[in-house]
Amino acid sequence: DARIRALKPSTKPTKHGDTGGLLLVVSPTGSKLWRMVYRFDGKQKQLSFGTWPDVSLAEARSRRDTARKLLADGVDPSAKKKEEKVARERVVTDSDRVPG
């Protein structure tokens, strides 16, 4: 946590790697974003986990591990995340409708 706090922004986004494809991207504005890079069907992809400190290092690693399990099962974690988002939005839209 202290190392993450000490990272300073530069003129270009900088990537600081952890393990298993997990990266902390420090933008020129100073925001720190968790990302995971992976390959699926021969294409390099990227998955976002949120901003630090809202998402801690431990939580980012947990999300990375979950995504890696999906990859091991042959599931694209980015596509699954999008499907879950659409399902949540559908539930919210359906609950906004008033019967009758």
Side-chain angles (χ1 to χ4, degrees):
D1 195 49
R3 265 193 238 167
I4 294 171
R5 195 175 295 113
L7 295 174
K8 301 297 178 201
S10 65
T11 57
K12 293 183 178 182
T14 55
K15 297 177 183 177
H16 304 272
D18 191 46
T19 58
L22 184 64
L23 301 171
L24 184 68
V25 180
V26 181
S27 73
T29 62
S31 65
K32 297 173 182 172
L33 310 167
W34 291 112
R35 304 259 192 256
M36 178 184 159
V37 293
Y38 64 97
R39 293 189 78 78
F40 188 79
D41 281 342
K43 295 180 183 177
Q44 183 165 340
K45 296 191 170 198
Q46 184 171 270
L47 188 62
S48 176
F49 294 141
T51 60
W52 180 88
D54 297 335
V55 177
S56 67
L57 175 59
E59 179 64 22
R61 286 177 174 168
S62 172
R63 292 179 186 186
R64 177 213 48 210
D65 293 342
T66 302
R68 288 177 58 96
K69 286 177 188 170
L70 289 172
L71 283 169
D73 292 338
V75 178
D76 183 358
S78 180
K80 182 155 177 61
K81 186 176 177 181
K82 288 176 186 174
E83 288 172 9
E84 291 171 351
K85 181 178 179 182
V86 168
R88 279 194 310 271
E89 289 172 353
R90 196 174 302 130
V91 169
V92 169
T93 304
D94 291 344
S95 66
D96 289 343
R97 293 184 184 155
V98 178

